[in-house]
Amino acid sequence: MLPPAVRIYLAAEPVDLRRGFDGLAAATREVIRLDPMSGHVFGFLNRRRNRIKFLVWDRTGYLVVYKRLEVGTFAVSTTPAPGGRHVEIDAGDLALMLEGVDLRRAVRRPRWHRLPPR
């Protein structure tokens, strides 16, 4: 589980996943337009959407996590805002996406509601 302050960003356009640490850091700056050393999680899919790489800065260096699907593709549940080049997802959606669940058709039900003031 990630701390609530950590955000997860996915690039909306495919990235060449032959890139290493420095190449993914550059893609974070160019595509997602955020600081790769912020401590957030940055994800990049390949053109076929069957591979994903994540870049994370952990105060001492970069960490890269790479997953390849043998069958199927990753389905991102949201689309970027008009003109946007990335989407932000939460940790629960990321876990389901990595397990192969297609959240595009899922219905998110509210789990709480604000009580009226007294």
Side-chain angles (χ1 to χ4, degrees), residues 88-107:
E88 184 176 351
I89 62 173
D90 65 26
D93 288 353
L94 174 62
L96 292 170
M97 184 183 88
L98 292 175
E99 285 296 320
V101 176
D102 185 351
L103 295 172
R104 290 176 294 192
R105 294 179 193 91
V107 176

Side-chain angles (χ1 to χ4, degrees), residues 47-107:
R47 188 170 309 283
R48 290 188 291 176
R49 301 178 85 80
N50 67 340
R51 297 171 190 223
I52 190 166
K53 264 190 184 181
F54 294 98
L55 178 72
V56 181
W57 175 260
D58 75 352
R59 294 187 322 240
T60 60
Y62 285 118
L63 169 71
V64 171
V65 178
Y66 191 21
K67 181 168 183 170
R68 178 186 72 192
L69 295 177
E70 295 302 319
V71 176
T73 60
F74 291 109
V76 180
S77 61
T78 58
T79 58
R85 299 178 73 192
H86 70 274
V87 295
E88 184 176 351
I89 62 173
D90 65 26
D93 288 353
L94 174 62
L96 292 170
M97 184 183 88
L98 292 175
E99 285 296 320
V101 176
D102 185 351
L103 295 172
R104 290 176 294 192
R105 294 179 193 91
V107 176

